[in-house]
């Protein structure tokens, strides 16, 4: 089988799916090569990501990666969310096929873009 049970579960039953009104940060990333577009929304209170959601246009791996990434950063400090790696997302999904690893990279980039948007809107300096 190409996909793990966790990938299939997050694809069939995505967590935190949907647009978030009044998000504190929104990150949108895309990969023209594969056509996947990922939009991540975060709500932040006292430097903790209290809520997160996503809208993804793409393949099952992209949807599963988005879903898993939201689960991994929800309730965490913003700095911890910034440390999320595509490798951690892929491992949490019990692996992705090599030709689908770019989906976990998009999830990492979407989280970072949402945090950057939050920082920019609130005048918070981002560490390099």
């Amino acid at each position: 089988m190409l996909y793990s049970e966790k990938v299939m579960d997050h694809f069939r039953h995505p967590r935190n799916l949907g647009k978030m009104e009044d998000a504190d940060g929104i990150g949108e990333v895309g990969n023209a090569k594969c056509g996947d577009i990922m939009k991540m929304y975060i709500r932040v209170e006292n430097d903790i990501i209290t809520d997160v959601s996503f809208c993804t246009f793409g393949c099952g791996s992209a949807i599963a990666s988005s879903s898993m990434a939201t689960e991994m950063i929800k309730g965490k400090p913003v700095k911890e969310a910034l440390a999320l790696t595509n490798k951690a997302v892929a491992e949490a999904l019990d692996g992705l096929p090599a030709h689908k690893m770019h989906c976990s990279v998009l999830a990492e980039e979407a989280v970072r873009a949402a945090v950057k948007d939050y920082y920019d809107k609130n005048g918070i300096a981002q560490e390099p």
Side-chain angles (χ1 to χ4, degrees), residues 50-127:
T50 57
D51 201 9
V52 56
S53 67
F54 76 94
C55 292
T56 293
F57 175 83
C59 66
S61 295
I63 291 165
S65 294
S66 306
S67 175
M68 181 56 83
T70 63
E71 290 279 275
M72 293 173 79
I73 66 168
K74 197 173 197 172
K76 300 279 195 301
V78 174
K79 276 192 170 57
E80 211 172 300
L82 279 175
L84 181 72
T85 65
N86 74 293
K87 192 168 183 265
V89 172
E91 283 172 6
L93 288 167
D94 292 337
L96 286 170
H99 67 285
K100 292 294 184 180
M101 280 302 287
H102 66 268
C103 295
S104 62
V105 172
L106 278 180
E108 175 188 323
E109 290 173 351
V111 169
R112 290 191 178 172
V115 170
K116 183 186 182 320
D117 183 51
Y118 164 70
Y119 280 173
D120 291 350
K121 285 178 179 170
N122 291 280
I124 301 168
Q126 195 167 359
E127 295 164 22

Side-chain angles (χ1 to χ4, degrees), residues 9-65:
D9 182 45
H10 276 268
F11 168 63
R12 289 190 186 112
H13 311 285
R15 288 26 158 216
N16 310 303
L17 179 65
K19 185 178 181 206
M20 181 187 295
E21 299 300 328
D22 305 323
D24 295 316
I26 302 170
E28 185 171 343
V29 296
N31 183 328
K33 186 179 82 177
C34 64
D36 294 327
I37 298 169
M38 208 173 274
K39 201 166 192 176
M40 192 81 58
Y41 304 85
I42 59 173
R43 188 161 290 131
V44 182
E45 287 172 39
N46 300 321
D47 209 42
I48 301 289
I49 295 175
T50 57
D51 201 9
V52 56
S53 67
F54 76 94
C55 292
T56 293
F57 175 83
C59 66
S61 295
I63 291 165
S65 294

